[in-house]
Amino acid sequence: MMALAVADDGTVFFGLTPKGEVWRVRPGGKPELHFATGEGFVYDLAFGPDGALYAATGPAGRLYRIKGGQGKVVFAAPQMHLACVWAGVQGLGARGRGQVSDELLVGTAPDGIVYRLTLSGDERPAVEVAFDTPLAEARAVAEDDAGGLFVAAN
């Protein structure tokens, strides 16, 4: 298990490696398969501003949008692994405290690139390089209220 996310209702989602599966445990329930990515790794999970669960995967560098147990690829990086995903929905982000951002940040390996994805409904997001680290992996990313980008890289 490499990834965890908790929904507002207390449901816990976790990503399994090397099966590339996303499982869930509802409060008082038992683990059940929620979505099989078909990838080898689920590195990170985060809830986006649209309420969907986003899964950063490898080795094909894909980001899945999962809603209602159904998933689709919304971004495929040229790098092998999406090592992390961050959604500015917890009171942080360039839009200010208490505002929900329509952006996701994803970090890659190798190459240590951080992409900014601007969501637009069910359409593919607009993508730009937010930061290109000189290191091999962008393992964690976050953004502060002023739009400052923080990257844990190695």
Side-chain angles (χ1 to χ4, degrees), residues 2-5 13-17 19-23 33-67 69-77 80-87 104-108 117 119 124-125:
M2 295 183 69
L4 289 170
F13 292 85
F14 56 96
L16 290 183
T17 297
K19 292 185 176 185
E21 297 172 339
V22 177
W23 286 69
L33 179 63
H34 185 61
F35 177 69
T37 68
E39 307 289 336
F41 306 95
V42 175
Y43 290 110
D44 202 6
L45 296 168
F47 285 97
D50 56 357
L53 182 64
Y54 287 84
T57 70
R62 295 183 181 132
L63 182 70
Y64 287 84
R65 179 183 182 272
I66 305 166
K67 198 153 191 167
Q70 301 294 313
K72 69 176 183 177
V73 175
V74 293
F75 173 63
M80 288 179 60
H81 304 281
L82 293 186
C84 60
V85 57
W86 184 83
L104 300 174
L105 297 171
V106 294
T108 69
L117 284 61
L119 303 174
R124 290 211 181 248

Side-chain angles (χ1 to χ4, degrees), residues 5 23 45 47 79-80 88 93 97 109 116 118 121 132 138 145 147 154:
W23 286 69
L45 296 168
F47 285 97
Q79 292 78 21
M80 288 179 60
R97 189 166 302 282
R116 181 182 309 277
T118 303
D132 186 353
D145 288 345
N154 64 326

